[in-house]
Amino acid sequence: MAALSAWFWNEKFWLPHNVTWADFADPAPGVEYPKAGHLLTALPLALGIFAVRILFERFIAGPCAYILHIHAEVSRKAQQNPVLEKVFTCVTKCPDSRQLNGLAKQLDWEVRKLQRWFRHRRNQDKPTTRTKFCESMWRFTFYLCIFTYGFCFLWQSPWMWDTRQCWYNYPYQVLTPGLYHYYVTELAFYWSLMFSQFTDIKRKDFLIMFVHHLATVSLISFSYVINMARVGTLILCVHDASDFLLEAAKLANYAKYQRLCDFLFVMFGAAFIGTRLIIYPFWILNSTMFESWELVGPFPSWWLFNSLLLVLQVLHIIWSYLIARIAFKALMRGKVSKDVRSDIESSSEEETVKTYSHAASAKRENGTNGHFGSKPWTQNDNSG
C-alpha cells in the first residue's frame, strides 16, 4: 500500500518542477493550503444536502405546487397480466408489429387491445408533473443560491478581475475559508446528485449521467488537490450562471405560464452561449493555457487539466448548437416536443420526439435539454 500510495502521489506528476509535498507540510501559523483530506468533508455534507432536498421537496416545493394547482395526475393502470408484464420488463416496452401479432395469438387478444395495454403500462412509470416540479424547484433553488454565493465571493477576489492572479506564487496560494466552503459545497452537491440519481425521475441516459457526475466530481477534486482552486472557482461560477435559468423555465412550464417559460428559455440560451462560448474560452481557457504557461510553466498534471478543459469546450460547442437548433425549429414550427430522456411517453399514440442529451460541466448536473416554443416543453436535467 505504501508503494501504491507513493506511485499515485508522485510529485513529478502532481506538482510543478522543484516543488514537493514537504513544502506544504508545515505552513506558517494561520496559513492553510488545499489538501486531499479536505475533500472527505464533502461526503457527509452530500448526505446532508440529500436530506435537505427531501425535506425541501416535501415541505416547500410540494406546497408551492399545490398553490399553483399542480397536482399528481392519476394515470389509468394497465390490467394485470403476467405474460405481458414479463415482456414489458424483460423484452421491450414498445413491441413492434411482429411481436404484437405473436402476443395477440398467444393471448387471444386484439392487436389494438395490446397496444392500449402497453401504452397504459408505460404511463404507469411516467413521473407526474408535480414530481418534476418539485425536483426542478430544488435544483433551481440550489443553483441560484450557489451561483449567488460564488459570484459574491469572486466579486471580492482579485483573480476575478485579473486572471493572472490565479498563477502568481503558484502553487503556494493560501486557502481562504470562502474558497474552501465554495469548493466543498459544489463537490458535495455533485456527490449528492450521484446518490439521488437512484431515486430521481428515471431516465434513459442513467449510465451516461452517472459517469458524467463521476467525471465532474473527479475534475473538481483534481483541481483542488493541485491547488488550481482559484481558476476552478471561475469555472464553477461560469457553469452555474445558466443552470438556474433553465430550471426556472421548467418551473414556469409545469405551472403553465408559457409566455414566462418562453422568455426564461431565451434567457437561458443567451446565458448558456454567452458563458460557454465567449467567457469560458476567451477568459478562462486563455488563463489556464497561456497565462499559466508564462507564469508557471507546464507540468504533467497541468497538461491533463487543460486537456479536460478543452474536451469540455468541445462539448459546449455541441450543446450550444443543439440548443440553437431546437429553439429555431420550435419557433419555425410553432410547436415543441417532449424530452426523450425520461423513459416515459404520453398517452397519445402519435407524438413527435426530439432528443437533446447533456453530459456536462466541469462541476456538474448537469444534463441540459432545452425546448422552446409556443407549446409546453419539458426538460429533465443538468452540467453543466
Side-chain angles (χ1 to χ4, degrees):
M1 291 298 295
L4 180 61
S5 177
W7 171 82
F8 182 81
W9 295 108
N10 191 318
E11 296 164 342
K12 293 181 179 179
F13 171 79
W14 291 96
L15 301 174
H17 303 300
N18 300 321
V19 178
T20 67
W21 294 118
D23 297 333
F24 305 95
D26 189 22
V31 174
E32 184 70 59
Y33 296 117
K35 298 177 181 177
H38 294 166
L39 301 176
L40 297 176
T41 310
L43 295 177
L45 182 58
L47 294 176
I49 290 175
F50 185 59
V52 170
R53 172 187 171 172
I54 294 174
L55 296 174
F56 179 91
E57 291 186 356
R58 181 172 182 178
F59 296 107
I60 298 179
C64 288
Y66 179 81
I67 293 172
L68 293 170
H69 305 290
I70 302 173
H71 305 294
E73 305 92 344
V74 179
S75 60
R76 182 175 179 180
K77 293 187 176 181
Q79 174 186 343
Q80 291 187 356
N81 187 297
V83 174
L84 295 180
E85 185 66 27
K86 185 175 182 180
V87 172
F88 182 86
T89 56
C90 302
V91 181
T92 178
K93 297 179 181 180
C94 301
D96 57 26
S97 58
R98 180 183 60 82
Q99 292 168 324
L100 287 172
N101 289 330
L103 289 170
K105 292 179 181 178
Q106 180 180 351
L107 299 174
D108 195 24
W109 282 23
E110 293 182 358
V111 171
R112 189 170 183 81
K113 183 178 179 181
L114 284 170
Q115 291 174 329
R116 190 181 305 113
W117 187 94
F118 276 96
R119 184 172 69 249
H120 290 162
R121 180 63 184 84
R122 287 190 293 267
N123 283 339
Q124 285 181 211
D125 295 337
K126 179 180 180 180
T128 65
T129 302
R130 185 181 184 279
T131 300
K132 293 185 286 186
F133 177 89
C134 291
E135 180 180 317
S136 289
M137 188 170 180
W138 161 250
R139 291 174 183 262
F140 165 78
T141 303
F142 181 85
Y143 290 147
L144 180 60
C145 290
I146 198 64
F147 172 71
T148 302
Y149 174 84
F151 187 80
C152 291
F153 166 73
L154 288 172
W155 187 268
Q156 305 173 52
S157 303
W159 58 87
M160 180 175 182
W161 311 105
D162 178 12
T163 52
R164 296 173 68 88
Q165 294 281 346
C166 293
W167 312 110
Y168 290 149
N169 199 36
Y170 178 85
Y172 305 104
Q173 295 175 340
V174 177
L175 177 67
T176 64
L179 191 153
Y180 169 77
H181 293 143
Y182 187 27
Y183 240 75
V184 170
T185 302
E186 289 274 18
L187 180 60
F189 177 69
Y190 282 97
W191 273 118
S192 75
L193 286 183
M194 294 183 67
F195 303 151
S196 64
Q197 195 173 13
F198 296 94
T199 59
D200 282 348
I201 297 169
K202 187 179 180 181
R203 297 183 174 94
K204 290 183 177 180
D205 63 349
F206 172 87
L207 180 59
I208 295 174
M209 291 307 298
F210 183 82
V211 173
H212 160 256
H213 296 326
L214 184 61
T216 302
V217 166
S218 300
L219 188 55
I220 293 175
S221 303
F222 177 69
S223 63
Y224 186 85
V225 169
I226 61 177
N227 203 9
M228 289 189 180
R230 288 187 177 183
V231 74
T233 58
L234 298 177
I235 295 171
L236 291 172
C237 190
V238 163
H239 284 82
D240 286 334
S242 60
D243 290 339
F244 72 91
L245 290 171
L246 178 59
E247 298 300 331
K250 289 159 60 178
L251 292 174
N253 175 66
Y254 298 143
K256 301 188 185 304
Y257 294 117
Q258 196 56 40
R259 289 180 180 272
L260 177 60
C261 168
D262 295 345
F263 171 76
L264 289 171
F265 183 74
V266 170
M267 294 291 292
F268 158 73
F272 187 92
I273 292 174
T275 55
R276 310 296 176 93
L277 297 189
I278 299 176
I279 295 178
Y280 180 79
F282 294 105
W283 186 42
I284 294 178
L285 285 184
N286 176 68
S287 180
T288 61
M289 296 181 66
F290 301 110
E291 291 178 349
S292 65
W293 182 292
E294 176 187 349
L295 297 173
V296 179
F299 50 99
S301 61
W302 179 95
W303 286 104
L304 177 59
F305 184 65
N306 278 284
S307 297
L308 294 173
L309 296 183
L310 286 173
V311 170
L312 188 60
Q313 179 57 32
V314 173
L315 295 176
H316 289 165
I317 295 172
I318 296 172
W319 299 333
S320 297
Y321 166 74
L322 292 174
I323 290 174
R325 188 180 68 173
I326 290 170
F328 178 76
K329 287 185 177 181
L331 284 171
M332 295 300 293
R333 297 180 182 180
K335 65 178 181 180
V336 184
S337 36
K338 76 181 186 76
D339 179 7
V340 77
R341 281 186 55 198
S342 293
D343 196 7
I344 58 173
E345 71 174 43
S346 68
S347 59
S348 171
E349 290 186 86
E350 296 182 3
E351 62 182 4
T352 305
V353 178
K354 301 185 188 294
T355 305
Y356 169 43
S357 294
H358 179 173
S361 73
K363 61 149 194 129
R364 193 205 233 258
E365 147 267 143
N366 269 223
T368 300
N369 297 344
H371 304 275
F372 160 75
S374 59
K375 293 186 179 181
W377 58 275
T378 61
Q379 188 274 351
N380 301 317
D381 173 79
N382 323 313
S383 103

